[in-house]
């Protein structure tokens, strides 16, 4: 098992999300930076959807009560194994009794920890993700706290050989401070004035403090509407950009509600979701319009880089064996 000595600022169990239940009002949840968690899982030989830890700004202190392998991806929160700094995006061997801690934020917001075999909390509706608004999933539907214990399976002997494997920087998302995010415009462009749409695509917005896993509230020049009413309701996706009556956009994220009534001006493309996940309050954002074909191409390129690399690595491993 893994013992939580200190929980960090905000640490939850997450996987790829709880899909298939939005029609019943159940949110998806899952990792904010799904690419980073998937890469961490591949580094330690897990299936892509295995559960790991999402750690925000200040990581936890964890003690491993059995040997395992681990990988940390996403933000650089200065990870230290047995008191010595270790690099992100690399598979490491952790002996029984060793401790993992974090010095503090160096770059980014959310880091992801995967261990060999995954975090073994019970699945609920096909997922081990923590859904904070619903108070279920993960570990009792909440963030970790001191003296929690996380079950993990025994380390398979062959997995030891993965220690030292590195996911190359060229295949990672182009993380950057103050990013320009690509969006597909619509579907409710007729709610906004031409001036309002021009403002959205030409001005800078700031991530404000009341931003969380449910959504990022932005502040900037208000987006003017042509229609004053609201929608009766519509379904919401990860990356939906809503505009409430005050004209300040909201980017809906992993813990979003399933339906809403504010008109949608655009939706972030999935290839850029890792970028918004690593933004903090005070960071600046801009938006760039792209087509659905361009969005699809960017997604296939990013995730293709991930899966192609690990397919090649696994083939090399098989040849060595």
């Amino acid at each position: 098992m893994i013992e939580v000595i200190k929980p960090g600022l905000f640490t939850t169990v997450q996987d790829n999300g709880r899909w298939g239940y939005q029609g019943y009002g159940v949110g998806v949840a899952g990792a904010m930076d799904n690419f980073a968690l998937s890469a961490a899982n591949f580094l330690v030989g897990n299936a892509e959807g295995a559960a790991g830890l999402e750690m925000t700004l200040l990581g936890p202190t964890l003690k491993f009560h059995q040997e395992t392998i681990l990988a940390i991806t996403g933000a650089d929160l200065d990870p230290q194994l047995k008191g010595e700094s270790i690099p992100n995006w690399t598979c490491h061997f952790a002996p029984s009794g060793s401790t993992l801690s974090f010095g503090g934020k160096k770059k980014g917001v959310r880091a992801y920890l995967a261990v060999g075999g995954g975090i073994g909390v019970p699945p609920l509706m096909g997922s081990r993700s923590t859904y904070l608004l619903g108070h279920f999933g993960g570990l009792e539907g909440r963030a970790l706290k001191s003296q929690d214990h996380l079950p993990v399976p025994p380390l398979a002997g062959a997995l030891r050989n993965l220690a030292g494997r590195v996911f190359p920087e060229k295949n990672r998302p182009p993380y950057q401070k103050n990013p320009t995010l690509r969006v597909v415009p619509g579907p409710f462009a007729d709610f906004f004035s031409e001036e309002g749409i021009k403002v959205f695509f030409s001005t800078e917005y700031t991530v404000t403090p009341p931003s969380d896993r449910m959504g990022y509230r932005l502040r900037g020049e208000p987006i003017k509407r042509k229609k004053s009413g609201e929608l009766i309701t519509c379904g919401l996706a990860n990356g939906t950009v809503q505009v409430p009556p005050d004209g300040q956009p909201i980017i809906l994220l992993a813990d979003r509600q399933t339906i809403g009534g504010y008109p949608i001006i655009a939706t972030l493309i999935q290839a850029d979701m890792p970028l918004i996940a690593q933004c903090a309050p005070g960071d600046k954002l801009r938006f760039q319009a792209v087509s659905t074909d361009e969005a699809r191409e960017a997604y296939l390129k990013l995730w293709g880089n991930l899966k192609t690399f690990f397919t090649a690595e696994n083939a090399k491993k098989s040849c060595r064996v």
Side-chain angles (χ1 to χ4, degrees), residues 98-149:
S98 60
T99 299
L100 176 70
S101 59
F102 295 82
K105 176 184 181 299
K106 286 186 173 181
K107 184 179 181 181
V109 173
R110 294 177 174 87
Y112 294 85
L113 170 68
V115 297
I119 304 292
V121 296
L124 181 63
M125 289 181 275
S127 172
R128 293 180 168 86
S129 280
T130 306
Y131 183 44
L132 295 159
L133 294 178
H135 305 289
F136 61 79
L139 192 66
E140 301 175 355
R142 58 170 172 81
L144 299 189
K145 59 185 181 182
S146 296
Q147 299 183 357
D148 279 339
H149 294 87

Side-chain angles (χ1 to χ4, degrees), residues 259-275:
I259 58 173
Y262 294 144
I264 299 166
I265 194 168
T267 300
L268 266 66
I269 70 170
Q270 290 305 297
D272 283 0
M273 294 305 298
L275 307 187

Side-chain angles (χ1 to χ4, degrees), residues 21-210:
Y21 297 92
Q22 293 180 86
Y24 304 98
V26 179
V28 175
M32 287 274 283
D33 185 346
N34 198 30
F35 184 96
L37 178 58
S38 295
N41 273 319
F42 283 147
L43 279 167
V44 298
N46 292 345
E48 181 180 340
L53 296 183
E54 179 178 273
M55 306 167 289
T56 307
L57 292 173
L58 178 64
T61 300
L62 307 171
K63 184 175 182 179
F64 300 97
H65 285 268
Q66 63 191 51
E67 64 178 23
T68 190
I69 53 173
L70 62 88
I72 301 160
T73 56
D76 184 356
L77 305 185
D78 189 18
Q80 300 166 16
L81 184 62
K82 299 186 295 182
E84 298 184 2
S85 293
I86 58 173
N88 274 10
W89 303 90
T90 302
C91 182
H92 304 276
F93 175 73
S96 178
S98 60
T99 299
L100 176 70
S101 59
F102 295 82
K105 176 184 181 299
K106 286 186 173 181
K107 184 179 181 181
V109 173
R110 294 177 174 87
Y112 294 85
L113 170 68
V115 297
I119 304 292
V121 296
L124 181 63
M125 289 181 275
S127 172
R128 293 180 168 86
S129 280
T130 306
Y131 183 44
L132 295 159
L133 294 178
H135 305 289
F136 61 79
L139 192 66
E140 301 175 355
R142 58 170 172 81
L144 299 189
K145 59 185 181 182
S146 296
Q147 299 183 357
D148 279 339
H149 294 87
L150 300 169
V152 294
L155 180 65
L159 292 181
R160 278 173 161 264
N161 299 329
L162 297 181
R165 183 156 71 164
V166 179
F167 186 62
E169 186 172 359
K170 67 180 182 179
N171 290 345
R172 304 171 197 170
Y175 296 118
Q176 56 191 286
K177 192 173 180 63
N178 306 328
T180 295
L181 301 172
R182 292 168 291 180
V183 298
V184 175
F188 300 112
D190 59 326
F191 268 81
F192 306 99
S193 67
E194 289 185 13
E195 179 186 354
I197 293 175
K198 182 178 179 180
V199 162
F200 178 71
F201 286 112
S202 64
T203 61
E204 188 175 70
Y205 289 91
T206 303
V207 179
T208 64

Side-chain angles (χ1 to χ4, degrees), residues 208-229:
T208 64
S211 296
D212 54 24
R213 281 178 47 88
M214 185 174 179
Y216 275 20
R217 293 180 176 271
L218 309 182
R219 183 180 65 250
E221 187 174 345
I223 298 168
K224 293 182 179 180
R225 291 206 202 165
K226 186 166 57 177
K227 295 181 180 180
S228 58

